[in-house]
Amino acid sequence: MAHRMDNEYDYLFKIVLIGDSGVGKSNILSRFTRNEFCLESKSTIGVEFATRTLQVEGKTIKAQIWDTAGQERYRAITSAYYRGAVGALLVYDITKKQTFENIQRWLRELRDHADSNIVIMMVGNKSDLNHLRSVAEEDGQALAEKEGLSFLETSALEALNVEKAFQTVLSDIHQIISKKALAAQEAAGSGPPGQGTTINIADPSANTKRGCCSS
Amino acid sequence: MAEAAADSSNSAVDGGGSNVQNDYPTIDPTSFDVVLCGTGLPESVLAAACAAVGKTVLHVDPSPFYGSLYSSIPLSSLTSFLSPEASPPTSSAAAAASDSRTVVDLHRRSVYSDVETSGTVPEPARRFTVDMVGPRVLYCADEAVDLLLRSGGSHHVEFKSVEGGSLLYWEGCLYPVPDSRQAIFKDTTLKLKEKNILFRFFKLVQAHIAAASASSDETGQGDASTKIPEEDLDLPFVEFLKKQGLPPKMRAVVLYAIAMVDYDQDGADPCDKLTTTREGIQTIALYSSSIGRFANAEGAFIYPMYGHAELPQAFCRCAAVKGALYVLRMPVVALLMDEEKKHFLGARLASGQDILCQQLIIDASYKIPTLDVPFDGSDSWKVVRGVCIISKSVKQGSSNVLVIFPPKSLEEQQVAAVRLLQLSSNLAVCPPGMFISYLSTPCTDVSAGKQSIKKAIDTLFSPQASDGSEGHFETTNESTEDVKPTLIWSCLYVQEITQGTSGSLLSCPMPDEYLDYRNVLGSTKKLFASIYPDEEFLPKKSAPVYADDASDSAE
């Protein structure tokens, strides 16, 4: 059995969850990071972010997955929430048509605030409630294709496709990062915010973080 | 019930698309311990502090973005932010005195005036972010940093150094500010005699600081002989510096560039503007403890990447994690009082919805209705702020630099220091190859304040039309003469300053004239103590413990 010390990873990827209130973002997060599901549907409180380390194409990836803290309920997500995110899960509830119709608005917000290279997956959650379905899977697939996004239906309750959703996003991010690394070697100059050392006041000692990929 | 109402007049700043939202949401629940309106730094810190001690919090803002008077604005929206349109008509204001309530309208006002712009906004304007609080930094050892750490807000903000340090404008030249013993040692512009005097002074101050902190640790007899005597501590700092034999230029370094004094300490009349030795040493202590606090930070100052509005966002996120409800695009339009206007009951939102609460906290852009607060008719303090876009760094090879113009260094009528903070693209506030410079000076006389700012701008920057053959500027730490940066665009404006009030309605402090947030945060703490005198302000361990790694070790 391989033993890994904390913070021993090749890449840290920040992933954000967005979508309407009540679509199951927090349960997707807790299912992926702690393999837990909570039936109570309270608005998200107390969750900052959660992490999980996994292997993607031979690399050790630490996924840092951020939840909205309920700020999406009245459209008050901070622009800082999106900073540095390399991936996003755009979540709707297949039993509530309105949450699917709002995907367009969330996508616009994402494109306004996040890095243009962010990997986005559209997620239709609560597929276990097929008898209450109001959004056809084909409709989700069609919108995702139109917008150039990946798409999966998930059930956080039944743990269906949750692992696959994150694995797909992380793999896509890793491929982009690898290409970027090649391109970065060719073009000697780095991007604007890269110049000068970034200071993280929470880590006075370990400010030399290894391989943190944030845009 | 929510009803259709006019959208906020800030819709021009809304980056979220062109369709105007006419539907306000209905807020559920309808009763809170605290309602805050405005998401400036004081309101956001208060929201985090109230949520951290278990209070129920509703936090709203009329704008579609966070920050209020502490915002970071895209350059293209700056003029509309400084001169907002008349506030939209209050919805359902006529519905007064329903079920034994009295409705008292709340109105907003602009705190900015005398806006002057010149030059052409460079493209793309969207790539520039302007801070309404500038020039402003955090000391590395600042309480703002500690609040970020205690609340967990540090997860949401990253900083860069003001790595170019500080420069002092003196007799027509820019000199590096020797702010530590190592800096004195390395400085090539100081004479040996000046070095010795300054070195001895810093040694004296360091010994006093060490002895004072030893005394406050109650370890018994601190070395009393190294402490500065009480009678010296109560002296005007300038007198103490003279006693120590510091010549005028060195006094200017200590007073204006390290102790960050605003007002002329050699002027005869304004006694209330004299800084005491005790106050001066307090800032020097903060300054010196900031150098080296973070291994990756150069110098004493750090600046939030993407601008100062990241700070209120960080605190708001902390409050949300503790359960606070957040609503943007939602003004508060009225207060709810009981029939006799003796007791405060709650607030009415622009949607027409009434929210009950025990305490309402508003940002300083709201006028305070004359209920139980007598109108203070005295002259308000003001700060003149300038924003410039320039073509290259004022200090060759440096990204972010602070420049201090002591009082009277620009012209005889300059009664207060002018500060300039230059920022570069490494903060993601402007495109590469350009710099944003912020200037400010406090004043009661607006035209004199503006004159000082303009003089500072003319001193450091060339106008666009310059052919480059004139306007050489000597930086004495280099043998070659540098050409002045070209001024591409500038904006000057005046902002009034109020400190915040207590009572049934709390109003938060505005961004002040200082370089850091100590005064703003001090007022904010007092406001918190006035609402919840028995609660601790952002207790340590307020930060959420996040679920860390369930490592995937299947192999």
Side-chain angles (χ1 to χ4, degrees):
Chain A
M1 187 77 75
H3 287 286
R4 288 197 182 276
M5 305 217 288
D6 195 39
N7 291 326
E8 189 180 312
Y9 49 81
D10 297 306
Y11 296 105
L12 173 71
F13 290 161
K14 174 177 173 177
I15 312 289
V16 292
L17 293 162
I18 55 168
D20 279 0
S21 210
V23 296
K25 301 187 291 300
S26 298
N27 269 320
I28 287 174
L29 172 64
S30 61
R31 175 64 74 192
F32 178 66
T33 57
R34 297 191 304 278
N35 202 21
E36 290 169 8
F37 183 93
C38 177
L39 276 168
E40 287 183 66
S41 63
K42 285 181 295 186
S43 213
T44 298
I45 287 175
V47 180
E48 184 80 292
F49 56 84
T51 65
R52 180 175 157 188
T53 302
L54 63 165
Q55 299 296 307
V56 173
E57 294 161 20
K59 294 292 183 184
T60 305
I61 308 291
K62 182 165 180 167
Q64 188 186 71
I65 301 151
W66 290 72
D67 207 344
T68 57
Q71 284 176 292
E72 81 285 16
R73 190 174 166 200
Y74 300 113
R75 301 179 55 212
I77 292 183
T78 61
S79 55
Y81 180 71
Y82 298 102
R83 298 238 194 261
V86 288
L89 294 193
L90 202 54
V91 187
Y92 68 93
D93 177 347
I94 66 160
T95 71
K96 295 196 176 90
K97 185 100 178 174
Q98 185 65 56
T99 66
F100 177 69
E101 287 165 2
N102 286 338
I103 285 288
Q104 213 76 42
R105 200 187 73 199
W106 286 118
L107 193 54
R108 194 186 320 129
E109 182 160 313
L110 200 50
R111 286 179 170 150
D112 281 343
H113 293 287
D115 184 76
S116 53
N117 289 314
I118 191 169
V119 173
I120 305 170
M121 170 170 276
M122 213 173 93
V123 172
N125 193 35
K126 306 194 187 183
S127 63
D128 51 285
L129 300 176
N130 197 50
H131 55 293
L132 299 172
R133 179 185 285 273
S134 68
V135 183
E137 184 170 359
E138 296 78 29
D139 291 347
Q141 184 69 54
L143 178 60
E145 281 175 7
K146 179 191 160 212
E147 297 290 348
L149 316 175
S150 306
F151 174 70
L152 274 176
E153 286 198 342
T154 61
S155 166
L157 175 68
E158 294 179 350
L160 176 72
N161 273 352
V162 171
E163 189 85 15
K164 186 175 176 185
F166 283 101
Q167 192 83 34
T168 302
V169 169
L170 294 168
S171 182
D172 288 355
I173 294 165
H174 180 249
Q175 282 175 34
I176 289 176
I177 295 296
S178 301
K179 285 180 197 167
K180 252 190 197 174
L182 287 176
Q185 286 168 25
E186 291 160 17
S190 63
Q195 186 198 346
T197 308
T198 300
I199 297 144
N200 185 333
I201 58 173
D203 281 322
S205 53
N207 244 242
T208 46
K209 204 182 296 178
R210 48 178 296 181
C212 180
C213 289
S214 68
S215 41
Chain B
M1 278 304 163
E3 51 191 286
D7 199 2
S8 166
S9 62
N10 281 284
S11 59
V13 193
D14 193 342
S18 55
N19 59 320
V20 173
Q21 297 285 332
N22 282 325
D23 290 326
Y24 287 110
T26 301
I27 308 303
D28 174 40
T30 58
S31 179
F32 296 85
D33 294 319
V34 184
V35 171
L36 303 102
C37 187
T39 53
L41 184 66
E43 301 91 82
S44 304
V45 169
L46 285 170
C50 293
V53 297
K55 306 302 174 185
T56 57
V57 174
L58 173 66
H59 199 172
V60 304
D61 198 300
S63 294
F65 52 89
Y66 286 83
S68 297
L69 301 173
Y70 295 73
S71 291
S72 303
I73 302 291
L75 182 57
S76 47
S77 307
L78 178 63
T79 48
S80 63
F81 188 87
L82 291 170
S83 313
E85 299 142 30
S87 57
T90 54
S91 69
S92 61
S98 63
D99 59 16
S100 73
R101 287 175 188 167
T102 302
V103 179
V104 179
D105 284 348
L106 263 185
H107 296 286
R108 304 181 73 201
R109 68 224 166 98
S110 180
V111 305
Y112 307 108
S113 60
D114 293 273
V115 182
E116 286 180 40
T117 59
S118 70
T120 307
V121 173
E123 290 302 325
R126 189 174 48 76
R127 292 280 305 274
F128 295 86
T129 301
V130 177
D131 275 330
M132 303 312 296
V133 300
R136 186 86 53 171
V137 295
L138 273 65
Y139 287 88
C140 293
D142 211 320
E143 181 173 18
V145 172
D146 294 327
L147 290 183
L148 285 165
L149 289 163
R150 280 172 19 209
S151 64
S154 55
H155 291 139
H156 307 282
V157 198
E158 285 184 316
F159 297 88
K160 290 270 168 84
S161 297
V162 182
E163 95 294 346
S166 301
L167 300 172
L168 182 83
Y169 180 76
W170 187 260
E171 289 173 358
C173 300
L174 285 180
Y175 294 91
V177 170
D179 51 18
S180 64
R181 293 198 226 181
Q182 310 91 277
I184 296 169
F185 183 74
K186 288 179 189 172
D187 194 287
T188 57
T189 66
L190 291 170
K191 303 184 184 82
L192 183 60
K193 184 184 176 186
E194 288 173 330
K195 286 196 178 191
N196 286 335
I197 290 173
L198 209 53
F199 196 89
R200 195 167 61 241
F201 173 76
F202 277 130
K203 195 176 175 189
L204 171 75
V205 170
Q206 291 301 328
H208 170 81
I209 292 166
S213 64
S215 289
S216 66
D217 287 346
E218 294 171 292
T219 51
Q221 345 296 331
D223 194 345
S225 65
T226 59
K227 288 178 82 177
I228 295 169
E230 283 295 311
E231 60 265 27
D232 280 345
L233 289 177
D234 293 328
L235 274 183
F237 197 25
V238 65
E239 297 303 321
F240 179 72
L241 298 180
K242 287 173 181 173
K243 265 179 74 171
Q244 299 301 312
L246 272 70
K249 185 183 172 195
M250 294 299 101
R251 293 204 297 271
V253 163
V254 174
L255 286 167
Y256 305 111
I258 301 178
M260 300 303 171
V261 173
D262 277 319
Y263 294 96
D264 190 5
Q265 301 297 290
D266 291 312
D269 24 314
C271 297
D272 55 310
K273 296 296 185 301
L274 286 183
T275 298
T276 63
T277 303
R278 193 186 313 272
E279 290 163 343
I281 287 178
Q282 231 166 28
T283 303
I284 294 177
L286 175 62
Y287 196 121
S288 58
S289 61
S290 292
I291 295 173
R293 180 179 182 188
F294 300 116
N296 288 352
E298 294 174 63
F301 305 122
I302 52 179
Y303 199 93
M305 287 192 66
Y306 307 97
H308 270 271
E310 301 297 293
L311 300 178
Q313 287 189 52
F315 287 108
C316 288
R317 167 81 181 186
C318 297
V321 167
K322 299 283 186 176
L325 274 194
Y326 274 87
V327 192
L328 296 182
R329 307 166 194 84
M330 183 64 84
V332 166
V333 296
L335 304 181
L336 306 176
M337 311 288 292
D338 64 6
E339 275 181 307
E340 299 85 26
K341 289 195 188 179
K342 284 180 181 170
H343 298 293
F344 171 77
L345 299 175
R348 176 164 292 173
L349 306 176
S351 56
Q353 187 178 7
D354 289 348
I355 302 288
L356 299 182
C357 61
Q358 294 170 35
Q359 185 68 62
L360 178 64
I361 300 170
I362 54 177
D363 79 37
S365 67
Y366 280 91
K367 296 176 194 172
I368 298 175
T370 53
L371 294 173
D372 51 10
V373 182
F375 177 67
D376 187 5
S378 67
D379 282 340
S380 63
W381 284 102
K382 294 182 174 67
V383 56
V384 179
R385 300 196 196 276
V387 185
C388 301
I389 296 175
I390 57 178
S391 62
K392 69 182 191 116
S393 179
V394 296
K395 179 178 175 183
Q396 190 175 315
S398 292
S399 299
N400 308 317
V401 183
L402 180 65
V403 182
I404 308 292
F405 300 84
K408 291 189 164 59
S409 63
L410 292 161
E411 58 189 0
E412 192 60 29
Q413 295 77 39
Q414 183 202 347
V415 298
V418 173
R419 282 190 273 273
L420 179 147
L421 180 66
Q422 172 198 283
L423 305 177
S424 75
S425 61
N426 83 355
L427 286 159
V429 294
C430 62
M434 292 198 225
F435 298 80
I436 296 188
S437 286
Y438 295 99
L439 300 95
S440 76
T441 190
C443 65
T444 48
D445 179 346
V446 163
S447 60
K450 275 192 150 181
Q451 175 68 13
S452 295
I453 298 289
K454 289 175 179 176
K455 189 79 176 172
I457 291 171
D458 291 344
T459 297
L460 279 192
F461 309 135
S462 298
Q464 182 104 51
S466 175
D467 58 10
S469 63
E470 47 183 341
H472 283 277
F473 190 70
E474 190 176 341
T475 306
T476 56
N477 61 345
E478 291 165 351
S479 52
T480 56
E481 286 187 345
D482 289 320
V483 177
K484 284 184 184 181
T486 300
L487 179 63
I488 295 168
W489 174 90
S490 71
C491 175
L492 266 66
Y493 60 94
V494 178
Q495 182 217 306
E496 65 178 83
I497 301 173
T498 58
Q499 275 301 300
T501 60
S502 296
S504 60
L505 186 65
L506 297 191
S507 180
C508 287
M510 291 193 193
D512 51 24
E513 73 272 26
Y514 298 114
L515 181 67
D516 61 287
Y517 284 121
R518 277 177 289 164
N519 200 52
V520 166
L521 291 175
S523 296
T524 304
K525 257 172 152 181
K526 283 176 189 163
L527 291 176
F528 181 81
S530 71
I531 319 167
Y532 298 119
D534 299 322
E535 300 279 11
E536 194 182 344
F537 182 68
L538 278 173
K540 295 189 194 330
K541 297 175 189 136
S542 297
V545 180
Y546 62 94
D548 206 348
D549 219 300
S551 199
D552 202 37
S553 55
E555 298 175 336

